[in-house]
Amino acid sequence: MSTLETPEADLVYDVQGPLPTADGRPPLFMIGQPMTADGFRALASHFGDRTVVTYDPRGLGRSVRKDGSTVNDPEIQARDVHAIIEALGAGPVEMFASSGGAVTALALVAAHPGDVTTLVAHEPPLTTVVPDADAAERARIAVREAYEAKGFFAGMAAFIAMTSWQGEFTDAYFAQPAADPAAFGMPSGDDGTRSDPLLSDASRPITGYEPDVQALTGASTRVVIAVGEETGDALTGRTARATAALLGQEATVFPSHHGGFAGPETGYPGKPEEFAAKLREVLA
């Protein structure tokens, strides 16, 4: 574990393997949001021959904010990742980025294309790029309202219902009764928290980010948009395919679901061994 101290945040990161790398290949960065470094433990275990770098985004996990903000902004997080790459003297790197981390990575490539040789951006949740963007935002607001009214379990039930809905957010979606936490094995009581980065408005800049298509298509970085084979037409499957289309490509299909690289310790296990094999193939 290492810490990069900046005026705005103390950024904690982990390096698995030697720097400079033993084989001359770039380090492989793995980033998420709100997922921290711990979420990549299973995937990183399948890259014992590579130097892997993971980190906790500012204000999450071990990384402490000093800027007085609670907002998760992809352009600010991109600046943090750029600072870590520079501090390590490790650029350019290869990068696997998932969910909100994929949005951060797209912002990084737009601002600092020389930092990354190949980016695999897995299911970026960019609601701005789908045809029903306004309805998707309405659905997100409903999750936040459920969270603010009744706490984590009600908010998480609403979030699961939203992210598992197949297809566009139609009148049928909004006509459903409120999601019941018990249906997902959760208690119904209010836990009293209102600061969860996933359920509050803290990560609104992530889902509301508009990718700089011109910068991304003009960058020297090879950008690969990835989608899980089990995701189907759920929101992040649709956002991944729409983002790929904006960049003039088709989304590359990876094993499993939105957390397909994760191990059982996350509570949302995928198929990390198969996922790692596909990632190796794409990076090659």
Side-chain angles (χ1 to χ4, degrees), residues 196-247:
D196 186 89
L198 196 63
L199 304 177
S200 68
D201 269 344
S203 295
R204 172 69 183 91
I206 297 284
T207 58
Y209 179 74
E210 296 187 6
D212 188 334
V213 174
Q214 184 175 356
L216 291 169
T217 55
S220 57
T221 306
R222 173 179 167 242
V223 178
V224 178
I225 305 297
V227 65
E229 64 181 349
E230 297 173 15
T231 306
D233 284 329
L235 180 58
T236 55
R238 296 195 297 120
T239 59
R241 288 190 290 273
T243 303
L246 282 176
L247 302 182

Side-chain angles (χ1 to χ4, degrees), residues 66-202:
K66 299 180 285 188
D67 60 356
S69 175
T70 59
V71 174
N72 298 310
D73 186 309
E75 293 180 328
I76 292 174
Q77 292 185 357
R79 195 167 68 221
D80 291 344
V81 176
H82 171 68
I84 293 172
I85 292 171
E86 282 204 321
L88 290 174
V93 305
E94 293 182 330
M95 184 169 290
F96 170 73
S98 186
S99 195
V103 181
T104 294
L106 291 171
L108 172 67
V109 169
H112 302 284
D115 279 359
V116 185
T117 57
T118 297
L119 164 64
V120 179
H122 181 247
E123 298 198 5
L126 294 167
T127 58
T128 55
V129 302
V130 293
D132 58 327
D134 289 344
E137 174 63 5
R138 179 183 169 194
R140 185 200 67 80
I141 290 171
V143 170
R144 185 251 295 158
E145 289 176 342
Y147 176 56
E148 289 181 347
K150 297 183 178 180
F152 177 82
F153 302 114
M156 183 54 69
F159 179 80
I160 294 170
M162 180 189 75
T163 55
S164 59
W165 179 262
Q166 296 289 312
E168 295 191 4
F169 293 105
T170 60
D171 289 345
Y173 172 82
F174 294 107
Q176 298 178 111
D180 181 2
F184 303 103
M186 295 183 289
S188 57
D190 188 336
D191 69 335
T193 66
R194 297 295 186 273
S195 59
D196 186 89
L198 196 63
L199 304 177
S200 68
D201 269 344

Side-chain angles (χ1 to χ4, degrees), residues 2 13 55 58 106 157 196 201 257:
S2 301
Y13 61 92
Y55 95 120
R58 63 168 62 194
L106 291 171
D196 186 89
D201 269 344
H257 47 59

Side-chain angles (χ1 to χ4, degrees), residues 38-39 41-43 46 259-273:
D38 282 348
R41 191 175 301 157
L43 182 61
H46 295 286
F261 53 90
E265 72 281 354
T266 65
Y268 186 43
K271 300 175 181 177
E273 184 174 0

